[in-house]
Amino acid sequence: MATIDLTMGTAVGDFVEGEPFTFTMSSATTNVVTITGRSDQSGDKAWFTSDPYPAEIPIGSSSVTATPTETISAPGYFTYLVTGIVVNSEAHVTVSSSMPGRMKKAS
């Protein structure tokens, strides 16, 4: 399963439309962390779903699962906005130009 590490601001794995991935943190949070997704180039449409939306990591937890809902053509990226922690690095997942069709590769 693909993951986005909110603590480090990094992503690993293939992000495929309809296949779940996980937002993670290195330790359990002491307050609610909220993650909102925006589409390619910071568009106004969310690129993932979760229940509830926006995705929330509750107090005492360190992860939440979400599912990509769209395909983005390279070059491009998925943007995520995080509240409740300080995000280390740029908060987006880059789409690799070498990935075909419906696959997204974090870089």
Side-chain angles (χ1 to χ4, degrees):
M1 180 183 290
T3 61
I4 296 175
D5 183 327
L6 298 175
T7 306
M8 299 304 295
T10 58
V12 177
D14 294 332
F15 293 79
V16 180
E17 183 177 345
E19 293 187 14
F21 71 96
T22 304
F23 286 106
T24 66
M25 298 173 47
S26 58
S27 61
T29 181
T30 57
N31 56 315
V32 175
V33 173
T34 302
I35 308 126
T36 306
R38 292 289 177 243
S39 62
D40 187 32
Q41 311 288 329
S42 297
D44 61 358
K45 178 181 161 190
W47 64 269
F48 68 82
T49 61
S50 60
D51 186 20
Y53 183 85
E56 292 183 352
I57 300 176
I59 294 171
S61 185
S62 62
S63 67
V64 65
T65 299
T67 303
T69 59
E70 66 180 84
T71 298
I72 293 179
S73 300
Y77 53 83
F78 297 125
T79 300
Y80 58 93
L81 310 173
V82 182
T83 57
I85 63 167
V86 176
V87 176
N88 198 19
S89 186
E90 293 185 54
H92 66 259
V93 177
T94 302
V95 179
S96 170
S97 61
S98 64
M99 296 301 291
R102 299 168 69 88
M103 299 279 289
K104 291 93 170 163
K105 175 128 179 132
S107 64

